[in-house]
Amino acid sequence: MLQIIKQIFRTGIKTEAPPQPDDALRGEVQQINAQILSHVGRALAIRHVDAGSCNGCELEIHCLNNAYYNIEGLGIHFVASPRHADMLLVTGPVSRHMEIALKRTYDATPDPKLVVALGDCGCDGGIFGESYASCGKIANVIPVDVAVPGCPPTPTAILQGILTAVSSRKTQI
Amino acid sequence: MRLEDFTSTSPKLPGAMPIWHGIVNAQELHSLCEQVKHGGGKLVALWGEDSNKGQGTRDKGEGARAATSFVQPSLFDVQSSNADDSSATLPLSTFSLPSQYALHVALVSASGLLVLTLPIDHEKPDFPDLSELFPAANRMQRAVADMLGLHPTGGGNHRKWLRHAAWPGNVHPLRKSFNISTHFPLEEDSYPFVAVSGDGVHEIAVGPVHAGTIEPGHFRFSVVGERVLKLEERLGYKHKGIEKRFEGMTLQQGAKLAGRISGDTTVGYAWAYAQAVESVTGTTPPARALWLRALYLELERLLNHLGDLGYLGNDAALAFGFAQFWILKEDLLRMNGELFGHRYLMDRIVPGGVSCDLDNSGLLRIAETLSHIKHETVILKEIYDEHAGMQDRFLTTGHVAPDLAAQLGLTGLAGRASGQAWDARAQFPCFPYDQLDVQMVTHRNGDVAARVTMRFEEIFESIRLIRLMLEQIPEGELLAEIGNAQEGALGIGWVEGWRGEIVLALHVGENNRIQRLHPHDPSWQNWPVLEHAIMDNIVPDFPLINKSFNLSYSGVDL
């Protein structure tokens, strides 16, 4: 126990300042929905859905939980069920085998809800594109508010995408 | 056919690794598989191919075998001593398939990798079931049946595997007659899970959308109270047509897609792909590029092991472990980003060499970062080792005994934790690993604790290797020009990734384009063993056991 405490003190505080929202990432629907979202509180519950990614985007989502980005410190946490979520953070392309699961997850998320699509594949299908097995971008299956490009997008870019999606309500207050 | 005869008469593929390829008939295939198994070897990969030959236009039976001809096979024996450059760089692995379809089987034995090709006639699209010899073959064979309509003969488990609802059972996407853009309406997807009955037995169905940031898959637990009687996995949710997507790409285009088969192993796949391309084009990358590739591969191993150790701490309710290890992982990711322009080193390995150099200040930066990571990891290992609550969760949990591991073909890191001593870097070291004397880490306990210890020890070994690399890396070019590949050439890449061996098979078509590409992830072998590892454990230990294997979904769903 002493050793753990010693190590915690030796490590110190690593958390950095979060990035600012970026209007360029906003989709059209997101701007329209901004009003509806104005009543969502500062705390945000996110349900992550991997709809067919290569797992690269997931690696960077994991990093959001590390001490440097400390996403929970911003009041944002990942939840185990879409029924507890304000936002879906979706990586893709959407494989056709995940098409129904993604739609059901979206339907199970209470309104008003936000969807952030992650990565080049989530934005436009990326290198996998559309095929017999792939629906391509997330927006081909469910409505998307904010799309964050990158292969994979860095944790800062993901955080910026999340904050962009949520901040629409802040500007309304 | 005797195993020794196969390696002495079949051509060795050009390139970095000891790989032999030959065409066999069904009896020979079975007999060679038996000999490899009894000699302590194992099945590495199994895939099918549609050669796009006109149906029924070829000879069959013995005539077909006789018609099979390797291009100048005798050159193989003299290649190394041949002073004539023009013939030495010929792609010597070219072969002409005498039939419409083929099954390819890659086996590893003490001498190296043996790739056996069984021609399959279109009128009788079946092949001998190898799952009796190698249980790991089962899911690979079912994938071949889904994707190509080639079926194993005999009894056993023939349920669909990669196919869910996106295309009907009589359609096979990897057949050449199938267009990648064909769109079928989603059909009813039913899958006959094996039911367990008895007093108090009930099922817990989990997924495909999991409760954490995890890839999608379905787990069907049959439990009594907390105790797991049986786990059945169903994967294939991430199937996004990767193999079909490769077809028709140029050898250069394929590199980017190869780096995205499984994001956490991008370096391993990119290197395997580059090896395959270099084999079919007779390219030798510059020495400096090969040293940098090995550096990237060990950095990837460190990234994944550090991340896993953090999550294993977290899953045993020690959030401190997660916080600490993910600081170290982030330090390494940032170093990668600064030095190489990509946190996970995607697209840094390209056919012919590497796309990114390293200057002297970079070498110093790596040395400093690794010193820090080593120093911290030594402290954290002591904390993990002495944490009673954590060890109580780790010890004896998710146990796979060495004899079961051998029988089921458990491979890679998880295999080495159960006494399966295979590590291509140590046993078949290609340049520059042959300069480094890699110390293979093995354990025999086969529980979560052993897989945790494996990671700690492999971190220390990788850091030792990287330090040697930093000292020995020579100056020089980064990229060799890629020549042309002959139609029909076969190239195999074989790389010991952090999870286990990546084997990638490249069949070349016309005009330097990909006719067929099969990437093989070690998770094919290890997923079925996870079903055994969880038996008789309690449900709440599943995340811990699962994380201790940390298998890829994307790499096997393709």
Side-chain angles (χ1 to χ4, degrees), chain A residues 129-167:
Chain A
E130 290 176 36
S131 71
Y132 75 97
S134 168
C135 304
K137 62 181 176 183
I138 312 294
N140 286 347
V141 180
I142 56 171
V144 168
D145 294 286
V146 167
V148 184
C151 188
T154 60
T156 308
I158 300 173
L159 205 47
Q160 197 166 35
I162 293 170
L163 294 176
T164 302
V166 207
S167 68

Coordinates of all heavy atoms in Angstrom, one line a residue, chain A residues 129-167:
Chain A
G129 N -14.8 1.1 -47.6 CA -15.8 1.6 -48.6 C -17.1 0.9 -48.3 O -17.4 0.4 -47.3
E130 N -17.9 0.8 -49.4 CA -19.2 0.1 -49.4 C -19.1 -1.1 -50.2 O -18.4 -1.1 -51.3 CB -20.3 1.0 -50.0 CG -20.7 2.2 -49.0 CD -21.7 3.1 -49.7 OE1 -22.6 2.6 -50.4 OE2 -21.6 4.3 -49.5
S131 N -19.7 -2.2 -49.7 CA -19.6 -3.5 -50.5 C -20.7 -4.4 -50.0 O -21.5 -4.0 -49.2 CB -18.2 -4.1 -50.2 OG -18.1 -4.6 -48.9
Y132 N -20.6 -5.7 -50.5 CA -21.5 -6.7 -50.0 C -21.6 -6.8 -48.5 O -22.5 -7.3 -47.9 CB -21.2 -8.0 -50.7 CG -20.0 -8.7 -50.0 CD1 -20.2 -9.7 -49.0 CD2 -18.7 -8.4 -50.4 CE1 -19.1 -10.3 -48.5 CE2 -17.6 -9.0 -49.8 CZ -17.8 -10.0 -48.8 OH -16.7 -10.5 -48.3
A133 N -20.4 -6.4 -47.9 CA -20.3 -6.7 -46.4 C -20.2 -5.4 -45.6 O -20.2 -5.4 -44.4 CB -19.1 -7.5 -46.2
S134 N -20.2 -4.2 -46.3 CA -20.0 -3.0 -45.6 C -20.9 -1.9 -46.0 O -21.1 -1.7 -47.2 CB -18.5 -2.5 -45.8 OG -18.4 -1.2 -45.3
C135 N -21.6 -1.2 -45.1 CA -22.5 -0.1 -45.4 C -21.8 1.2 -45.6 O -22.4 2.2 -45.9 CB -23.5 0.1 -44.2 SG -24.4 -1.4 -43.8
G136 N -20.5 1.2 -45.3 CA -19.7 2.4 -45.5 C -19.8 3.3 -44.3 O -19.8 2.8 -43.1
K137 N -20.0 4.6 -44.5 CA -20.0 5.6 -43.4 C -21.2 5.4 -42.4 O -22.2 4.8 -42.7 CB -20.0 7.0 -43.9 CG -21.2 7.4 -44.7 CD -21.1 8.8 -45.2 CE -22.3 9.2 -46.1 NZ -22.2 10.5 -46.6
I138 N -21.0 5.9 -41.2 CA -22.0 5.7 -40.1 C -23.3 6.4 -40.5 O -24.4 5.9 -40.3 CB -21.5 6.4 -38.8 CG1 -20.1 6.0 -38.4 CG2 -22.5 6.1 -37.6 CD1 -19.8 4.6 -38.1
A139 N -23.2 7.5 -41.2 CA -24.4 8.3 -41.6 C -25.3 7.5 -42.5 O -26.4 7.9 -42.7 CB -24.0 9.7 -42.1
N140 N -24.7 6.5 -43.2 CA -25.6 5.7 -44.0 C -26.5 4.8 -43.2 O -27.5 4.2 -43.8 CB -24.7 4.7 -44.9 CG -24.0 5.5 -46.0 OD1 -24.3 6.6 -46.3 ND2 -23.0 4.8 -46.6
V141 N -26.3 4.7 -41.9 CA -27.2 3.8 -41.1 C -27.9 4.5 -40.0 O -29.1 4.2 -39.8 CB -26.3 2.7 -40.5 CG1 -27.1 1.7 -39.6 CG2 -25.5 1.9 -41.6
I142 N -27.3 5.5 -39.4 CA -28.0 6.3 -38.4 C -27.6 7.8 -38.5 O -26.6 8.0 -39.1 CB -27.7 5.8 -36.9 CG1 -26.2 5.9 -36.7 CG2 -28.2 4.5 -36.6 CD1 -25.8 5.7 -35.2
P143 N -28.5 8.7 -38.1 CA -28.1 10.1 -38.2 C -26.9 10.5 -37.4 O -26.7 10.0 -36.3 CB -29.3 10.9 -37.6 CG -30.4 9.8 -37.5 CD -29.7 8.5 -37.4
V144 N -26.0 11.3 -38.0 CA -24.7 11.7 -37.3 C -24.7 13.2 -37.1 O -25.1 13.9 -37.9 CB -23.5 11.2 -38.2 CG1 -22.3 11.9 -37.7 CG2 -23.4 9.7 -38.2
D145 N -24.3 13.6 -35.9 CA -24.2 15.0 -35.5 C -22.8 15.6 -35.9 O -22.7 16.6 -36.5 CB -24.5 15.2 -34.0 CG -25.9 14.9 -33.7 OD1 -26.8 15.7 -34.0 OD2 -26.1 13.8 -33.1
V146 N -21.8 14.9 -35.5 CA -20.5 15.4 -35.6 C -19.6 14.2 -36.2 O -19.7 13.1 -35.7 CB -19.9 15.9 -34.3 CG1 -18.4 16.1 -34.4 CG2 -20.6 17.2 -33.9
A147 N -18.8 14.5 -37.2 CA -17.9 13.5 -37.7 C -16.5 13.9 -37.6 O -16.1 15.0 -37.9 CB -18.2 13.2 -39.2
V148 N -15.7 13.0 -37.0 CA -14.3 13.3 -36.7 C -13.4 12.5 -37.6 O -13.3 11.3 -37.4 CB -13.9 13.1 -35.2 CG1 -12.5 13.5 -34.9 CG2 -14.9 13.8 -34.3
P149 N -12.7 13.1 -38.6 CA -11.8 12.3 -39.4 C -10.5 11.9 -38.7 O -10.2 12.5 -37.7 CB -11.6 13.2 -40.6 CG -11.7 14.6 -40.1 CD -12.7 14.5 -38.9
G150 N -9.7 11.1 -39.4 CA -8.4 10.7 -38.9 C -8.3 9.2 -38.9 O -9.3 8.5 -38.9
C151 N -7.1 8.7 -39.0 CA -6.9 7.2 -39.1 C -5.7 6.8 -38.2 O -4.6 6.6 -38.7 CB -6.6 6.8 -40.5 SG -6.6 5.0 -40.7
P152 N -6.0 6.5 -36.9 CA -7.2 7.0 -36.2 C -7.1 8.4 -35.8 O -6.0 8.9 -35.8 CB -7.2 6.0 -35.0 CG -5.8 5.8 -34.7 CD -5.1 5.8 -36.1
P153 N -8.2 9.1 -35.5 CA -8.2 10.4 -34.9 C -7.5 10.4 -33.6 O -7.6 9.4 -32.8 CB -9.6 10.8 -34.8 CG -10.4 9.6 -34.8 CD -9.6 8.6 -35.6
T154 N -6.7 11.4 -33.3 CA -5.9 11.4 -32.0 C -6.9 11.6 -30.9 O -8.1 12.1 -31.1 CB -4.9 12.6 -32.0 OG1 -5.7 13.8 -32.1 CG2 -3.9 12.5 -33.1
P155 N -6.5 11.3 -29.6 CA -7.5 11.5 -28.5 C -7.9 13.0 -28.5 O -9.1 13.3 -28.1 CB -6.6 11.2 -27.3 CG -5.6 10.2 -27.8 CD -5.3 10.7 -29.2
T156 N -7.0 13.9 -28.8 CA -7.4 15.3 -28.7 C -8.5 15.6 -29.8 O -9.4 16.3 -29.5 CB -6.2 16.2 -29.1 OG1 -5.1 15.8 -28.2 CG2 -6.5 17.7 -28.9
A157 N -8.3 15.0 -31.0 CA -9.4 15.2 -32.0 C -10.7 14.6 -31.6 O -11.8 15.2 -31.8 CB -8.9 14.6 -33.3
I158 N -10.7 13.5 -30.9 CA -11.9 12.8 -30.5 C -12.6 13.7 -29.4 O -13.8 13.9 -29.4 CB -11.6 11.4 -29.9 CG1 -11.0 10.5 -31.0 CG2 -12.9 10.8 -29.4 CD1 -10.5 9.1 -30.5
L159 N -11.8 14.1 -28.5 CA -12.3 15.0 -27.4 C -12.9 16.3 -28.0 O -14.0 16.7 -27.6 CB -11.1 15.3 -26.5 CG -11.4 15.7 -25.0 CD1 -12.4 14.7 -24.4 CD2 -10.1 15.7 -24.2
Q160 N -12.2 16.8 -29.0 CA -12.7 18.0 -29.6 C -14.0 17.7 -30.3 O -15.0 18.5 -30.2 CB -11.7 18.5 -30.7 CG -11.9 19.9 -31.1 CD -10.7 20.4 -31.9 OE1 -10.0 19.6 -32.6 NE2 -10.4 21.6 -31.7
G161 N -14.2 16.5 -30.9 CA -15.4 16.2 -31.6 C -16.5 16.0 -30.6 O -17.6 16.5 -30.8
I162 N -16.2 15.4 -29.4 CA -17.2 15.2 -28.4 C -17.7 16.6 -27.8 O -18.9 16.9 -27.7 CB -16.7 14.3 -27.2 CG1 -16.4 12.9 -27.8 CG2 -17.6 14.3 -26.0 CD1 -15.7 12.0 -26.8
L163 N -16.7 17.4 -27.6 CA -17.0 18.7 -27.0 C -17.7 19.6 -28.0 O -18.6 20.4 -27.6 CB -15.7 19.4 -26.5 CG -15.0 18.8 -25.3 CD1 -13.7 19.5 -25.0 CD2 -15.9 18.7 -24.1
T164 N -17.4 19.4 -29.3 CA -18.1 20.2 -30.3 C -19.6 19.8 -30.3 O -20.5 20.7 -30.4 CB -17.5 19.9 -31.7 OG1 -16.1 20.2 -31.7 CG2 -18.2 20.7 -32.8
A165 N -19.8 18.5 -30.2 CA -21.2 18.0 -30.2 C -22.0 18.5 -29.0 O -23.1 19.0 -29.1 CB -21.2 16.5 -30.2
V166 N -21.3 18.5 -27.8 CA -22.1 18.9 -26.6 C -22.2 20.4 -26.5 O -23.1 20.9 -26.0 CB -21.3 18.5 -25.4 CG1 -22.3 18.3 -24.2 CG2 -20.6 17.2 -25.6
S167 N -21.2 21.2 -27.1 CA -21.2 22.6 -26.8 C -22.3 23.4 -27.5 O -22.5 24.5 -27.2 CB -19.8 23.2 -27.3 OG -19.7 23.1 -28.7

